Amino acid sequence: MTSDDLRREFLAYFEQRGHTIVKSASLVPQDDPTLLFTNAGMVQFKRTFLGEDKRDYVRATSSQKCVRAGGKHNDLENVGHTGRHHTFFEMLGNFSFGDYFKPLAIELAWDLMTRVYGLPAEKLWVSVYKDDDEAHTLWAGNTDIAEDRIVRLGEKDNFWSMGDTGPCGPCSEILIDQGEAISCGKADCRVGCDCDRYLELWNLVFMEFNRDKSGEMTPLPKPSIDTGMGLERMAAVLQGATTNYETDLFMPVIREIESLSGHAFQQSPELDVSMKVVADHSRAAAFLIGDGVLPSNEGRGYVLRRILRRAVRYGRMLGLTKPFLHETAGKVSQVMKTAYPELLEADTYIRSIIRSEEERFLGTLDTGLRVLEDALAEIKTQGLSRIPGNLIFKMYDTYGFPVDIIRDIVRDEGMSLDMEGFQKDMAQQRLRSRAEKTSSLESSAYGELSAQGIKTHFVGYEHRKAESEVLMILRQGEAVKQAGQGEEIEVVTAETPFYGEAGGQVGDRGHIHGQGFDMEVTDTFKDPNDIIIHKGKVLKGSISVGKTVTLIVNDEKRSATEKNHTVTHILHAILRQVLGDHVKQAGSLVAPDRLRFDFTHFSAIDQDTLQEIERLVNDRIQQNIPLEVQEMDSEEAFRTDATALFEEKYGDRVRVVAMEDFSKELCGGTHSERTGDIGLFKLLSEGSVAAGVRRIEAVTGAAAVAHTQEAFRTLRVLAETLKAKPHDLTDRVEKLLAQQKGLEKELAASKAQLHAETSDRSLSEVKVVNGVSVLAQEASADTPAALRDLADHLKAKIKSGIIVLGSRTPEKALLVVVVTKEHLDRYHAGNIVKQVAALVGGGGGGRPDMAQAGGSQPEKLPEALAAVYDIVARA
Ligand SMILES: [Zn+2]
Ligand SMILES: [Zn+2]
């Protein structure tokens, strides 16, 4: 059975039994911005299980893309060394939202396993939670499994919970006995052993209780079912493969690695590790980039970077010194195209992102490896086994080596890593780069302020006006006690409603008042320690440290900014809905008068789609949806080395901004209260900013109205000018253009006719001078080019001779002289034109066969042309 069949059979089986097939959610969780990656089938149904999100079905089935890397389940360093650990995998599942429970879940699972997939009952085992008598009875009574193959296990193996609180319940697993040969050989090898003999195939979770903060569990009114079957594992069993890598999901990729590297799979255990790493990581990289993740130095992007660089390092062990990963990842798109056609569509994009990351890292990999090996040899000769933090940092900072690579290299050498020292160096570097960025802000003064533990308290989410004490005044970078009228200063207060520029949203403007004092705030920004700095000019009076002032944000500008900001959330969600899950915000600028939104996407968006996007955004605006803002703990969400080190823009508490169920983002900015406040969204442009990144510019609210009015004004003026109704304009202009084309054609025809007539008439005026045919004549041509054309035309007619043509406008005369080749030994066009031009107050010259000139006395042209015959006679 191919894995495509396996996946399809699973979904079809449950669909036939009343389940709705639900498409895999993106690897970047939409409903849960605190989760690094989608890591199970139930993630997209989390809110449905909690009863917060009603769906129009109560049974669902899916094949879900999952990534486990970089988070709590950091499998990265094991991948390649085992046959079953993966960064990317698919989870097949069936779900009941308060509909059926244990009896049907067990019955269906057993039927699918034994009858449809044809696994022999005598090889299967089942585990249940130790206290779950009900499950035990159901398995024993309703299926044909032998009762002695039902095993009770403890909380660690067979109890599931969504989090510390919330839904939880016992689970039950179906396992297959792969036989003695695969056993670890330990005396206590049985179901629950970590080795591969008893392989877990399918986990059925019985969501039965709700756990509260005190740990007490109460039964749920409507218990639910959540199951998960690893597709790769099941494929291995059905295809008789010893490891997941030997299935049809991996083998085509491994064949590609074989052909690129010239090494064969399963010939050497060391090389096999490298092949498995490359194969596994190619899959993760292709799917992550397909879902819009880009390599970067923080968060999800850094996990992707670690995966890519680890693969490149292992590729090097296979002798692959040129970029190769984009090829193996391209193979993944081929293998997965039936289930994920969108991956194949994004293939070019995925390859180009991988290739540029490969090239970047290959530039430092060799030198880095040499430096690392030398350093490790040195450590060993000193009899040490701990890799110092500053070496780990140097490898990261200078050579771009994620820590995983160092771990891989010393994996079998029993060496430990001084991660504490590494993090200390990282922290210092962060301080240095902050200092660089803010040197113009004279950060030393602000640094002293934060050294005293002072942070500005931002009250601008709720208020636009506040009273507070002046903590610091800076004039030209120097802290001063007081400042007076006309001075440009920076002011820090204990509390402020002013938003300091961050996350793309510009800083607030407004005024600071005091007794007889008024300061205009022209910009607000933050120092790296979250001190909010008001910059501006004292309009009157004076301000001193320690005084209480009133801070008032410019209401109009702030509201306009909030409209533009809020609409970026809507736009982001709509872009994903219309263009696909690969769309991810890549940057934004939110100002009072406009907004800019950059996002990952691989091609230009056509006008129809843009209009559809604009329409859908305005739909959401009109639904007047309230924005819900929730503050929550980010600690657990970001407990990974990647995020702990790099995710510095999020503090201990994160703000989650949601609009019903279609948008949920981590965001520290300020927003409108309801989407209706935005009023109107008008898209201005769409274009490319970098490889794989597009930009949309737009306006909202009053600016959108002004823009629309301006566009209509232009249209009206145009209509009046053309004497047409606005909606007839297209027709009218098309007609005009057609008319113009016709006129141009007519004009060309009559010009040709005129030429012909002129030349016929001219030929009768040819005089023979010194045995040479000479024609000197005034012509009607308004440009030098037209005059030259006419001369060429006449030249073709007279075949041999000298032609002098002149034309005039009220301001000037034009002249052209042509000498045919038979007469070039005696005559020079340049010399002739010079003499003729002199008679019309000009000069000129040119080649022996053709020359042009101009003159400022057009009234003398007839006289000059008459003189041509004499000039030729004398020459
Ligand atoms: Zn074992
Ligand atoms: Zn926001």
Side-chain angles (χ1 to χ4, degrees):
M1 184 180 271
T2 67
S3 48
D4 278 338
D5 291 339
L6 158 57
R7 194 191 292 110
R8 196 179 43 241
E9 294 268 356
F10 187 96
L11 298 175
Y13 179 86
F14 285 102
E15 189 184 33
Q16 284 152 19
R17 285 153 186 83
H19 294 65
T20 299
I21 299 180
V22 179
K23 198 174 170 277
S24 170
S26 167
L27 284 169
V28 178
Q30 281 317 284
D31 250 13
D32 190 349
T34 60
L35 186 67
L36 205 51
F37 297 113
T38 300
N39 57 13
M42 61 82 61
V43 169
Q44 68 168 322
F45 301 117
K46 213 162 160 179
R47 296 181 55 240
T48 315
F49 282 123
L50 291 168
E52 294 170 7
D53 176 27
K54 292 268 174 289
R55 296 184 180 236
D56 51 12
Y57 46 80
V58 288
R59 297 177 178 197
T61 181
S62 70
S63 175
Q64 175 64 49
K65 306 178 268 191
C66 298
V67 162
R68 281 188 193 167
K72 261 188 290 181
H73 315 271
N74 192 354
D75 291 347
L76 203 52
E77 56 181 299
N78 283 326
V79 173
H81 295 278
T82 71
R84 315 235 178 256
H85 282 95
H86 300 298
T87 49
F88 172 86
F89 60 96
E90 284 174 89
M91 199 181 266
L92 298 164
N94 57 296
F95 308 91
S96 153
F97 310 117
D99 186 41
Y100 63 86
F101 199 48
K102 284 182 205 178
L104 190 61
I106 288 173
E107 185 193 309
L108 295 180
W110 188 255
D111 181 50
L112 181 62
M113 279 305 223
T114 54
R115 194 178 53 79
V116 179
Y117 290 143
L119 296 179
E122 62 277 12
K123 278 197 179 175
L124 296 179
W125 287 70
V126 158
S127 70
V128 298
Y129 180 55
K130 59 181 170 43
D131 300 335
D132 194 355
D133 296 333
E134 186 190 3
H136 193 279
T137 311
L138 287 165
W139 282 111
N142 297 1
T143 73
D144 54 0
I145 192 165
E147 194 161 353
D148 59 357
R149 286 175 169 267
I150 306 169
V151 185
R152 290 178 186 256
L153 292 176
E155 190 140 348
K156 182 176 140 289
D157 289 294
N158 281 59
F159 198 88
W160 178 91
S161 55
M162 199 181 277
D164 293 339
T165 60
C168 58
C171 54
S172 186
E173 277 187 308
I174 303 178
L175 306 93
I176 190 163
D177 180 0
Q178 305 224 85
E180 286 248 28
I182 295 189
S183 167
C184 57
K186 289 177 190 144
D188 59 349
C189 183
R190 61 174 67 95
V191 170
C193 180
D194 279 340
C195 77
D196 266 0
R197 174 166 180 181
Y198 300 98
L199 193 64
E200 294 125 11
L201 294 179
W202 200 350
N203 190 14
L204 317 180
V205 173
F206 310 127
M207 271 184 225
E208 210 169 356
F209 305 107
N210 186 37
R211 185 153 49 193
D212 67 15
K213 278 193 178 138
S214 67
E216 199 184 324
M217 297 195 294
T218 45
L220 286 169
K222 282 184 166 183
S224 292
I225 293 292
D226 156 31
T227 84
M229 174 198 282
L231 173 77
E232 293 75 9
R233 231 170 232 222
M234 194 64 186
V237 168
L238 292 177
Q239 293 171 18
T242 330
T243 72
N244 297 354
Y245 291 97
E246 290 144 70
T247 63
D248 60 348
L249 290 163
F250 287 87
M251 276 321 284
V253 184
I254 287 178
R255 293 280 175 250
E256 180 76 20
I257 301 167
E258 287 181 321
S259 96
L260 288 168
S261 69
H263 291 289
F265 188 47
Q266 291 172 325
Q267 294 301 309
S268 130
E270 285 82 38
L271 293 181
D272 278 2
V273 171
S274 299
M275 288 197 186
K276 288 177 190 169
V277 169
V278 173
D280 174 275
H281 290 10
S282 296
R283 277 161 43 100
F287 275 96
L288 283 170
I289 296 169
D291 275 352
V293 180
L294 288 173
S296 75
N297 270 345
E298 56 175 34
R300 297 178 179 116
Y302 193 60
V303 177
L304 171 61
R305 173 161 284 167
R306 286 162 62 197
I307 289 172
L308 288 168
R309 296 194 169 188
R310 187 169 185 258
V312 170
R313 208 285 284 189
Y314 274 102
R316 167 59 107 248
M317 318 248 308
L318 292 165
L320 295 166
T321 54
K322 294 204 179 78
F324 64 93
L325 203 59
H326 60 285
E327 302 281 359
T328 54
K331 200 77 200 169
V332 173
S333 311
Q334 288 292 335
V335 175
M336 307 301 275
K337 65 172 182 253
T338 315
Y340 304 96
E342 67 275 13
L343 200 64
L344 195 60
E345 273 166 37
D347 189 46
T348 316
Y349 171 73
I350 294 170
R351 282 171 188 259
S352 74
I353 299 290
I354 293 182
R355 202 188 163 107
S356 74
E357 177 72 9
E358 278 188 278
E359 279 164 357
R360 215 168 144 171
F361 186 48
L362 281 170
T364 57
L365 178 61
D366 274 339
T367 330
L369 284 173
R370 234 173 295 129
V371 169
L372 181 61
E373 275 155 25
D374 289 351
L376 291 177
E378 178 69 28
I379 292 167
K380 278 182 236 167
T381 52
Q382 288 170 7
L384 302 171
S385 66
R386 193 165 172 77
I387 302 172
N390 60 12
L391 175 61
I392 306 172
F393 177 73
K394 180 176 159 193
M395 295 314 300
Y396 164 80
D397 191 45
T398 313
Y399 303 105
F401 277 40
V403 179
D404 313 83
I405 292 187
I406 301 172
R407 282 218 178 92
D408 284 332
I409 289 173
V410 301
R411 185 182 167 92
D412 300 319
E413 303 191 21
M415 294 178 95
S416 65
L417 276 69
D418 174 17
M419 289 305 290
E420 231 170 80
F422 169 58
Q423 303 210 8
K424 223 175 261 170
D425 282 357
M426 284 295 299
Q428 261 165 19
Q429 189 208 39
R430 225 175 295 147
L431 279 179
R432 275 198 304 276
S433 70
R434 277 174 179 173
E436 269 164 34
K437 259 186 265 171
T438 55
S439 57
S440 64
L441 307 179
E442 297 303 327
S443 63
S444 67
Y446 296 124
E448 281 160 27
L449 208 57
S450 36
Q452 297 164 36
I454 294 171
K455 244 186 199 161
T456 312
H457 180 47
F458 177 61
V459 297
Y461 291 128
E462 301 88 16
H463 307 287
R464 294 190 184 177
K465 184 177 173 185
E467 285 201 351
S468 187
E469 186 194 339
V470 176
L471 297 180
M472 182 174 267
I473 302 169
L474 244 72
R475 188 172 55 208
Q476 288 168 344
E478 301 261 332
V480 293
K481 289 271 164 246
Q482 198 178 19
Q485 191 171 333
E487 290 185 308
E488 304 265 359
I489 54 169
E490 291 173 14
V491 173
V492 177
T493 52
E495 198 172 273
T496 183
F498 280 70
Y499 183 81
E501 177 176 353
Q505 180 176 337
V506 300
D508 276 331
R509 292 162 166 246
H511 281 263
I512 301 178
H513 294 294
Q515 269 190 330
F517 161 76
D518 181 16
M519 169 183 173
E520 187 189 4
V521 179
T522 52
D523 198 7
T524 309
F525 50 93
K526 278 199 272 192
D527 98 322
N529 297 311
D530 286 341
I531 289 178
I532 297 177
I533 301 158
H534 311 85
K535 188 187 170 91
K537 192 175 178 178
V538 181
L539 299 180
K540 66 171 194 193
S542 70
I543 181 173
S544 354
V545 172
K547 282 271 160 58
T548 297
V549 288
T550 307
L551 302 110
I552 305 167
V553 171
N554 181 317
D555 225 26
E556 202 182 317
K557 287 210 158 67
R558 162 73 87 83
S559 295
T561 304
E562 288 182 344
K563 290 178 170 82
N564 284 336
H565 184 138
T566 307
V567 94
T568 61
H569 288 246
I570 304 179
L571 180 60
H572 190 188
I574 297 293
L575 286 170
R576 292 180 65 92
Q577 181 191 319
V578 174
L579 303 174
D581 284 344
H582 61 277
V583 169
K584 194 193 132 209
Q585 178 167 349
S588 79
L589 172 79
V590 182
D593 57 336
R594 75 210 153 94
L595 69 100
R596 202 169 72 199
F597 188 77
D598 296 349
F599 57 99
T600 52
H601 185 59
F602 26 83
S603 59
I605 306 169
D606 63 63
Q607 281 305 318
D608 286 349
T609 311
L610 282 176
Q611 286 216 334
E612 176 69 358
I613 289 166
E614 191 181 70
R615 191 184 65 75
L616 288 169
V617 170
N618 280 298
D619 266 4
R620 290 299 190 185
I621 292 173
Q622 282 159 37
Q623 285 163 13
N624 202 19
I625 302 158
L627 272 85
E628 293 156 51
V629 181
Q630 224 186 328
E631 251 194 40
M632 56 170 75
D633 224 14
S634 69
E635 239 230 334
E636 179 173 338
F638 294 113
R639 200 186 297 143
T640 75
D641 26 355
T643 49
L645 285 172
F646 304 100
E647 199 77 41
E648 54 176 310
K649 65 179 176 183
Y650 298 114
D652 302 343
R653 304 281 291 167
V654 290
R655 286 167 59 85
V656 177
V657 180
M659 292 170 225
E660 283 178 354
D661 58 351
F662 79 94
S663 165
K664 199 172 200 178
E665 294 189 31
L666 287 188
C667 184
T670 68
H671 306 84
S672 309
E673 277 177 28
R674 308 181 72 99
T675 62
D677 298 347
I678 298 163
L680 174 65
F681 170 77
K682 189 81 200 91
L683 215 148
L684 298 184
S685 69
E686 188 273 341
S688 164
V689 274
V693 181
R694 312 288 304 176
R695 167 171 297 172
I696 278 181
E697 291 180 298
V699 285
T700 65
V705 172
H707 179 85
T708 311
Q709 285 181 333
E710 175 62 24
F712 266 93
R713 206 185 65 85
T714 309
L715 205 60
R716 208 184 54 238
V717 170
L718 201 60
E720 278 166 11
T721 312
L722 293 174
K723 297 192 176 30
K725 294 208 173 72
H727 67 265
D728 293 335
L729 273 178
T730 317
D731 264 5
R732 187 91 179 84
V733 170
E734 269 168 12
K735 267 185 200 141
L736 278 173
L737 286 175
Q739 233 170 6
Q740 189 191 336
K741 235 182 195 168
L743 287 173
E744 276 167 4
K745 246 186 203 163
E746 264 174 51
L747 187 64
S750 53
K751 264 190 184 161
Q753 169 105 28
L754 189 67
H755 279 187
E757 280 168 12
T758 313
S759 53
D760 291 346
R761 181 164 44 83
S762 304
L763 288 180
S764 62
E765 288 171 23
V766 170
K767 288 181 188 166
V768 178
V769 180
N770 293 347
V772 180
S773 305
V774 178
L775 173 63
Q777 195 172 63
E778 189 171 339
S780 59
D782 40 14
T783 65
L787 199 61
R788 231 166 32 230
D789 270 1
L790 191 56
D792 279 343
H793 187 78
L794 289 167
K795 179 180 159 188
K797 288 267 177 179
I798 70 170
K799 294 194 175 69
S800 169
I802 297 171
I803 299 156
V804 181
L805 293 182
S807 71
R808 53 180 160 164
T809 64
E811 293 82 34
K812 60 176 187 177
L814 292 173
L815 286 166
V816 63
V817 176
V818 170
V819 178
T820 62
K821 60 178 184 295
E822 302 77 6
H823 306 297
L824 287 176
D825 51 343
R826 289 169 56 201
Y827 299 101
H828 189 286
N831 294 339
I832 297 173
V833 89
K834 205 181 279 172
Q835 296 177 57
V836 184
L839 300 173
V840 290
R847 307 197 311 252
D849 60 334
M850 207 284 291
Q852 282 175 280
S856 56
Q857 299 165 320
E859 69 282 2
K860 292 190 175 164
L861 185 63
E863 204 180 306
L865 287 169
V868 165
Y869 301 99
D870 283 346
I871 291 169
V872 173
R874 279 202 310 273

Short mmCIF file of all heavy atoms in Angstrom, two decimals, residues 776-794:
data_model
loop_
_atom_site.label_atom_id
_atom_site.label_comp_id
_atom_site.label_asym_id
_atom_site.label_seq_id
_atom_site.Cartn_x
_atom_site.Cartn_y
_atom_site.Cartn_z
N ALA A 776 17.45 72.01 -56.81
CA ALA A 776 17.42 72.82 -55.60
C ALA A 776 16.00 73.31 -55.44
O ALA A 776 15.46 73.93 -56.35
CB ALA A 776 18.40 73.98 -55.71
N GLN A 777 15.41 73.04 -54.32
CA GLN A 777 13.97 73.27 -54.22
C GLN A 777 13.52 73.45 -52.78
O GLN A 777 14.10 72.89 -51.86
CB GLN A 777 13.30 72.02 -54.77
CG GLN A 777 11.85 72.22 -55.07
CD GLN A 777 11.34 71.01 -55.79
OE1 GLN A 777 11.35 69.92 -55.22
NE2 GLN A 777 10.94 71.16 -57.03
N GLU A 778 12.48 74.23 -52.59
CA GLU A 778 11.89 74.36 -51.27
C GLU A 778 10.84 73.26 -51.10
O GLU A 778 10.12 72.94 -52.04
CB GLU A 778 11.23 75.73 -51.10
CG GLU A 778 10.82 75.96 -49.67
CD GLU A 778 10.37 77.38 -49.38
OE1 GLU A 778 10.73 78.30 -50.15
OE2 GLU A 778 9.66 77.57 -48.38
N ALA A 779 10.81 72.68 -49.92
CA ALA A 779 9.86 71.60 -49.68
C ALA A 779 9.09 71.86 -48.39
O ALA A 779 9.52 72.66 -47.57
CB ALA A 779 10.61 70.27 -49.57
N SER A 780 7.95 71.20 -48.26
CA SER A 780 7.22 71.37 -46.99
C SER A 780 7.50 70.16 -46.10
O SER A 780 6.89 69.11 -46.25
CB SER A 780 5.72 71.49 -47.26
OG SER A 780 5.26 70.34 -47.92
N ALA A 781 8.44 70.35 -45.22
CA ALA A 781 8.77 69.30 -44.25
C ALA A 781 9.08 70.01 -42.95
O ALA A 781 9.83 71.00 -42.95
CB ALA A 781 9.97 68.49 -44.72
N ASP A 782 8.48 69.56 -41.86
CA ASP A 782 8.66 70.33 -40.63
C ASP A 782 9.77 69.83 -39.72
O ASP A 782 10.08 70.45 -38.72
CB ASP A 782 7.33 70.44 -39.86
CG ASP A 782 6.55 69.13 -39.91
OD1 ASP A 782 7.16 68.10 -40.30
OD2 ASP A 782 5.35 69.15 -39.58
N THR A 783 10.37 68.70 -40.06
CA THR A 783 11.50 68.24 -39.23
C THR A 783 12.66 67.87 -40.15
O THR A 783 12.46 67.56 -41.33
CB THR A 783 11.12 66.98 -38.43
OG1 THR A 783 10.88 65.91 -39.36
CG2 THR A 783 9.88 67.19 -37.59
N PRO A 784 13.88 67.89 -39.59
CA PRO A 784 15.05 67.48 -40.39
C PRO A 784 14.87 66.07 -40.93
O PRO A 784 15.24 65.78 -42.06
CB PRO A 784 16.21 67.55 -39.39
CG PRO A 784 15.76 68.50 -38.34
CD PRO A 784 14.27 68.36 -38.25
N ALA A 785 14.25 65.20 -40.13
CA ALA A 785 14.09 63.81 -40.56
C ALA A 785 13.17 63.73 -41.79
O ALA A 785 13.45 62.99 -42.74
CB ALA A 785 13.52 62.98 -39.42
N ALA A 786 12.08 64.53 -41.75
CA ALA A 786 11.14 64.51 -42.87
C ALA A 786 11.81 65.04 -44.14
O ALA A 786 11.61 64.53 -45.25
CB ALA A 786 9.91 65.33 -42.53
N LEU A 787 12.64 66.05 -43.95
CA LEU A 787 13.34 66.65 -45.08
C LEU A 787 14.33 65.65 -45.69
O LEU A 787 14.47 65.51 -46.90
CB LEU A 787 14.08 67.90 -44.60
CG LEU A 787 14.50 68.91 -45.67
CD1 LEU A 787 13.28 69.44 -46.40
CD2 LEU A 787 15.28 70.06 -45.04
N ARG A 788 14.98 64.89 -44.78
CA ARG A 788 15.94 63.88 -45.22
C ARG A 788 15.22 62.77 -45.99
O ARG A 788 15.69 62.28 -47.02
CB ARG A 788 16.64 63.29 -43.99
CG ARG A 788 18.14 63.30 -44.11
CD ARG A 788 18.83 63.04 -42.80
NE ARG A 788 18.12 62.18 -41.87
CZ ARG A 788 17.90 62.49 -40.58
NH1 ARG A 788 18.34 63.64 -40.11
NH2 ARG A 788 17.27 61.65 -39.80
N ASP A 789 14.05 62.38 -45.47
CA ASP A 789 13.23 61.36 -46.13
C ASP A 789 12.91 61.76 -47.57
O ASP A 789 13.03 60.97 -48.50
CB ASP A 789 11.88 61.22 -45.39
CG ASP A 789 11.97 60.18 -44.31
OD1 ASP A 789 13.09 59.62 -44.14
OD2 ASP A 789 10.95 59.93 -43.64
N LEU A 790 12.50 63.01 -47.66
CA LEU A 790 12.10 63.52 -48.97
C LEU A 790 13.29 63.52 -49.93
O LEU A 790 13.18 63.11 -51.10
CB LEU A 790 11.54 64.93 -48.80
CG LEU A 790 10.83 65.52 -50.02
CD1 LEU A 790 9.71 64.61 -50.49
CD2 LEU A 790 10.28 66.91 -49.69
N ALA A 791 14.48 63.92 -49.40
CA ALA A 791 15.70 63.94 -50.22
C ALA A 791 16.04 62.53 -50.70
O ALA A 791 16.40 62.32 -51.86
CB ALA A 791 16.85 64.55 -49.43
N ASP A 792 15.89 61.56 -49.79
CA ASP A 792 16.17 60.16 -50.16
C ASP A 792 15.23 59.71 -51.26
O ASP A 792 15.62 59.00 -52.19
CB ASP A 792 15.99 59.25 -48.93
CG ASP A 792 17.22 59.27 -48.05
OD1 ASP A 792 18.29 59.71 -48.54
OD2 ASP A 792 17.12 58.88 -46.87
N HIS A 793 13.97 60.11 -51.11
CA HIS A 793 12.95 59.75 -52.08
C HIS A 793 13.31 60.30 -53.48
O HIS A 793 13.25 59.58 -54.48
CB HIS A 793 11.63 60.35 -51.59
CG HIS A 793 10.45 59.94 -52.39
ND1 HIS A 793 9.86 58.70 -52.26
CD2 HIS A 793 9.76 60.60 -53.35
CE1 HIS A 793 8.86 58.62 -53.09
NE2 HIS A 793 8.77 59.76 -53.77
N LEU A 794 13.73 61.56 -53.50
CA LEU A 794 14.10 62.19 -54.78
C LEU A 794 15.36 61.57 -55.37
O LEU A 794 15.50 61.41 -56.57
CB LEU A 794 14.29 63.69 -54.58
CG LEU A 794 12.98 64.46 -54.34
CD1 LEU A 794 13.26 65.86 -53.84
CD2 LEU A 794 12.15 64.49 -55.62
#
